[in-house]
Amino acid sequence: MAFVIKRVYEPAEAGDGYRVLVDRLWPRGVSKERAELDLWDKDVAPSPELRTEWHHAPDRVGDFEHFAARYRAELDEGEAGGALLEIGREHDRVTLLYGARDTQVNHAEVLLGWLAAHGAAVEGD
């Protein structure tokens, strides 16, 4: 099993394997056909409260570590992260799709790190 992340706006590729959208909100301008999803896993995304707080932070890059720590705590406390690990055991490759513009400062990067810390094989984007 290997997890990888990719922006949902990039075209689907045969090598993506099982495609999972890990955003709570549907990405703007992307049709369900174009997304070519196998699963939309809203539960593994940051809580609405955490997402709203981070998106309204005056210094999003500076506040990223605070956001990341809180998001990892949510993953530790909930069941969604474990369910995603189980999906990874069922598929050779799982591509986690996200809509954020910033490819370095986003919740999918945090999620990928959390999965790695919990024994999953991950690949950098």
Side-chain angles (χ1 to χ4, degrees), residues 57-118:
D59 177 15
R60 288 185 60 201
V61 173
D63 291 338
F64 185 66
E65 271 312 310
H66 174 73
F67 163 80
R70 289 194 50 209
Y71 181 36
R72 284 189 294 269
E74 285 184 356
L75 291 167
D76 287 339
E77 293 167 6
E79 297 176 7
L84 189 57
L85 285 167
E86 188 58 38
I87 288 170
R89 290 183 194 99
E90 297 169 1
H91 300 278
D92 292 334
R93 185 174 184 90
V94 178
T95 298
L96 305 176
L97 302 166
Y98 66 95
R101 286 185 206 132
D102 192 325
T103 60
Q104 301 300 314
V105 179
N106 63 66
H107 75 282
E109 285 286 344
V110 177
L111 178 57
L112 194 66
W114 185 90
L115 291 165
H118 287 80

Side-chain angles (χ1 to χ4, degrees), residues 39-58:
L39 176 67
W40 181 10
D41 192 353
K42 299 176 195 176
D43 293 334
V44 79
S47 68
E49 298 80 17
L50 180 55
R51 185 189 65 77
T52 301
E53 178 185 311
W54 186 48
H55 282 276
H56 289 99

Side-chain angles (χ1 to χ4, degrees), residues 7-29:
R7 287 192 77 223
V8 71
Y9 299 100
E10 296 176 32
E13 298 173 329
D16 286 346
Y18 194 78
R19 292 171 51 90
V20 180
L21 178 63
V22 294
D23 281 347
R24 192 163 295 275
L25 303 176
W26 188 263
R28 287 184 187 165

